[in-house]
Amino acid sequence: MAETRELIAPPEAAGQRLDQFLAAQIEGVSRSRVQLLLEQGDVLIDGARPKASLKLRGGETIIITGEPHPAPLKAIAEEIPLHIVFEDKDLAVVDKPAGMMVHAGSGQNDDARSRGTLVNALLFHFKSLSTTGGELRPGIVHRLDKDTSGLIIVAKNDRTHAALGDLFSGRSIRKTYLALVQGHVERAKGTINASVSRDPVRRTRMTTQPQDNARSAVSHYEIVRRLTTRFGKFTLIKVCIETGRTHQIRVHMASIGHPVVGDTLYGASSQITDQVAAQAATSRAARRNAEPERLRLGRNFLHAAELEFTHPISRKLLELKAPLPPELEQFLGRLEGDNSNETESKPKIGKITQT
């Protein structure tokens, strides 16, 4: 049974919403969880059950009699379009679009947590998936960030799931990403060997700063081409990762001063501006009237472009590729325009092949 807690609203809380006040007073409880407490009837003021929007007067006695109990999440099938790159009776490889979460998350409201994810789409298209990952993650062997697009492997049965898990843990699956990063990367090739852990201050971020709970992470990058454009300098790179830590490529590239374009969480600009036009407006009036072009991407320029692995059941070698999605191709085209100075030829992302 939950311990009953009593709070007295101080005079300075006058005019504040009840849910805001409680979220600030109860350690480790978010505002959404406070609202859940109120919906459950586990918050009383003068014996009555108040609304979350109640404005405090100051001096109220607030009794909390329970703990928030969110409704259990359940993955359900949804008719969401999927780009299936490869499929047989044991596994599938799909090209996930940016903006789609792989599976339900606990930090959102019930509707957002349980709908619109890759898992919802997989359940509709494949009906039966492995159960190893639990009810919320059927078929999921590995993940991609919400704003990262590209290839992801799905297990259709537990035997395949276990075998794929062994391939991942043994680093036998070659994963190659395409990324556009800010600035000119100096070395043509390089390896970033820096352990990754949760940032102790900003919990939504990862960090390469030394931490007791850091996990090893290795990324190998190779320059595809450097770009000098009217919007600044950028580098298109290929990255192969040996490990699959959360935000690995993003935090690794930011750690060497080259954040992924569009990745504001790790220091990239939210928009890039035509520097030539901006610098040409020398007078105050010209600057006031000038409207240099600005580009916004709205996602990270990071795409899981290639997967190479031996099928764990059929033992056939699979070499799968996914081209850059249209929004990244279009962004790259607008970025380069007619004034780019390319030092290397454009990459060719070939069609999907298998052997």
Side-chain angles (χ1 to χ4, degrees):
M1 181 177 292
E3 180 183 354
T4 299
R5 288 165 287 181
E6 181 178 307
L7 297 173
I8 305 296
E12 55 267 26
Q16 191 174 3
R17 281 176 57 117
L18 175 61
D19 56 352
Q20 291 176 324
F21 172 75
L22 291 177
Q25 297 298 313
I26 306 174
E27 184 177 358
V29 177
S30 67
R31 186 174 171 183
S32 62
R33 291 300 175 95
V34 166
Q35 291 171 345
L36 186 57
L37 270 174
L38 289 158
E39 291 171 7
Q40 293 171 183
D42 288 324
V43 178
L44 301 175
I45 295 181
D46 299 330
R49 295 177 176 179
K51 293 183 177 180
S53 59
L54 174 72
K55 294 293 182 67
L56 295 172
R57 301 185 307 274
E60 293 95 334
T61 298
I62 305 168
I63 306 295
I64 302 170
T65 60
E67 299 289 344
H69 299 291
L73 292 175
K74 182 181 179 182
I76 59 174
E78 284 189 90
E79 189 174 0
I80 302 171
L82 268 187
H83 180 195
I84 302 170
V85 173
F86 171 86
E87 181 186 5
D88 65 11
K89 64 183 180 62
D90 296 303
L91 62 84
V93 177
V94 300
D95 187 356
K96 184 189 84 70
M100 174 185 278
M101 292 193 302
V102 171
H103 55 74
S106 60
Q108 300 154 327
N109 61 49
D110 288 342
D111 187 60
R113 287 187 301 158
S114 59
R115 295 183 180 275
T117 71
L118 179 63
V119 162
N120 298 124
L122 294 174
L123 287 171
F124 178 85
H125 287 274
F126 300 132
K127 313 302 180 188
S128 179
L129 295 166
S130 71
T131 61
T132 305
E135 292 185 357
L136 290 180
R137 304 175 185 180
I140 301 302
V141 184
H142 66 123
R143 290 176 288 180
L144 293 176
D145 296 338
K146 178 181 177 181
D147 287 327
T148 297
S149 56
L151 300 176
I152 186 167
I153 308 171
V154 179
K156 290 188 173 183
N157 54 66
D158 291 350
R159 177 192 177 198
T160 304
H161 194 127
L164 286 169
D166 290 340
L167 290 180
F168 274 104
S169 61
R171 302 184 181 183
S172 300
I173 296 180
R174 181 178 175 83
K175 298 168 285 186
T176 304
Y177 294 72
L178 276 174
L180 185 70
V181 300
Q182 294 186 178
H184 278 177
V185 177
E186 184 177 354
R187 299 174 58 189
K189 295 182 179 180
T191 295
I192 304 172
N193 189 342
S195 297
V196 171
S197 61
R198 183 72 59 182
D199 190 311
V201 178
R202 297 180 62 185
R203 302 299 292 173
T204 56
R205 287 168 47 105
M206 306 301 287
T207 180
T208 56
Q209 296 298 314
Q211 304 285 338
D212 291 339
N213 61 343
R215 303 178 69 188
S216 64
V218 181
S219 303
H220 307 282
Y221 68 83
E222 177 181 351
I223 291 178
V224 177
R225 69 181 187 275
R226 298 184 181 91
L227 296 83
T228 300
T229 80
R230 57 195 174 97
F231 295 95
K233 295 181 178 180
F234 305 89
T235 308
L236 188 65
I237 59 173
K238 277 189 175 184
V239 186
C240 292
I241 57 174
E242 289 189 18
T243 50
R245 308 305 181 205
T246 301
H247 300 179
Q248 179 173 319
I249 294 174
R250 297 162 60 190
V251 69
H252 269 178
M253 295 312 300
S255 74
I256 63 170
H258 298 285
V260 173
V261 169
D263 190 4
T264 56
L265 185 62
Y266 289 102
S269 303
S270 60
Q271 65 179 13
I272 54 178
T273 304
D274 184 340
Q275 298 178 4
V276 175
Q279 292 172 1
T282 54
S283 69
R284 180 177 297 178
R287 286 195 298 270
R288 185 168 57 250
N289 296 324
E291 293 186 2
E293 185 179 0
R294 292 179 173 84
L295 299 184
R296 295 179 183 269
L297 182 55
R299 56 159 294 186
N300 303 329
F301 201 118
L302 182 60
H303 177 67
E306 301 176 14
L307 278 174
E308 181 180 327
F309 63 100
T310 299
H311 192 297
I313 307 302
S314 70
R315 310 308 299 169
K316 291 182 178 180
L317 177 65
L318 297 181
E319 297 174 286
L320 307 174
K321 298 184 180 182
L324 282 176
E327 71 270 16
L328 295 188
E329 287 281 14
Q330 293 165 9
F331 182 85
L332 200 56
R334 290 185 64 194
L335 184 66
E336 294 176 301
D338 297 326
N339 298 320
S340 62
N341 179 18
E342 300 172 15
T343 59
E344 299 183 42
S345 60
K346 292 186 177 181
K348 294 181 179 180
I349 311 299
K351 292 185 177 180
I352 298 155
T353 61
Q354 61 182 84
T355 11

